Amino acid sequence: MSRIAIVLRHDDTIHLGNLEPVLLEHGYDVRYVDTMREDVSVLDPHAADLVVVLGGEMGVYEADRFPALLDEIALLESRLTAGRPVFGVCLGAQLIATALGATVYRGPTNEIGYRSVEPTEAGADSPVRHIAGVPVFQWHSDTFDLPEGVTRLAGSPQYGNEAFSIGNWALAVQFHPEVTEEMHEVWLAASEAEVAAEGFDPAGLRLERERYSEGMQGASRAMFSEWLAGLDR
């Protein structure tokens, strides 16, 4: 019997990308929940074998505009208290941090592009070790305080908290390990004016993709596969 992975998605263009084949390889039946259109409050927080929380353009602190975020936080609070597996990306990591009692807020820079994220000593002994020396894709301007009781796994010069875990069953990453070349182009084409206004060169970002995308996707798939395998131990 397949295991169930519930994927909380905030935007149709921000999906599992290169991580979906990894879930399928590990025997998961992937079921998306589009949180901006579906009622998250009716979900059983504990029913799925895994909950994946993806990124989004909104901030955790914008729950007045996006009330579904409160339902996601409530689901995560219940699931994390029960020690049930959770994986979060970008906004997903920030929602996990919020559910664990930490604060999410605007960071020092709007970070867009492939950047180095280095594992901590603990991270070097975790699945996050696969991204060591491999530039990973970033698109965020928010950050979070490290929640109590978690293990910090990675950081960067701009953002100290790039990944954290609880045991082998909860993993949150600020960067975007899921991004394929196709996703990168869709995001960039849809936001080219914003990207330029922030001082980034869209052509330069595409050159970065040509240089770093293949290596990042391999590293991110290895990271996610090792983490999923650890859930069985």
Side-chain angles (χ1 to χ4, degrees), residues 41-212:
S41 70
V42 303
L43 297 176
D44 181 342
H46 309 144
D49 298 283
L50 171 64
V51 167
V52 178
V53 193
L54 296 175
E57 294 185 3
M58 65 288 292
V60 171
Y61 43 76
E62 295 182 293
D64 56 333
R65 295 177 55 203
F66 305 99
L69 294 175
L70 297 177
D71 294 326
E72 292 185 62
I73 292 166
L75 181 151
L76 289 168
E77 286 176 346
S78 180
R79 190 170 178 90
L80 290 162
T81 298
R84 298 284 286 149
V86 177
F87 178 74
V89 174
C90 199
L91 174 62
Q94 296 159 17
L95 287 164
I96 292 171
T98 301
L100 292 169
T103 302
V104 175
Y105 47 90
R106 298 285 289 182
T109 62
N110 190 350
E111 194 168 42
I112 303 175
Y114 289 84
R115 303 287 183 269
S116 294
V117 172
E118 290 306 316
T120 63
E121 184 175 348
D125 194 33
S126 80
V128 173
R129 65 190 173 83
H130 291 284
I131 68 162
V134 180
V136 292
F137 188 64
Q138 303 272 18
W139 194 317
H140 71 99
S141 57
D142 288 346
T143 189
F144 51 85
D145 293 330
L146 199 67
E148 292 186 12
V150 308
T151 301
R152 189 173 79 93
L153 298 180
S156 70
Q158 293 78 25
Y159 286 91
N161 297 325
E162 284 281 355
F164 66 85
S165 66
I166 305 175
N168 70 333
W169 55 268
L171 177 61
V173 298
Q174 178 61 63
F175 53 94
H176 283 278
E178 81 281 17
V179 171
T180 63
E181 293 184 9
E182 293 78 11
M183 289 172 71
H184 183 278
E185 183 56 35
V186 168
W187 294 7
L188 192 55
S191 306
E192 215 165 70
E194 170 198 342
V195 167
E198 290 288 342
F200 294 96
D201 174 18
L205 294 175
R206 289 185 171 96
L207 288 173
E208 283 187 359
R209 179 179 74 207
E210 292 178 11
R211 182 175 182 182
Y212 298 123

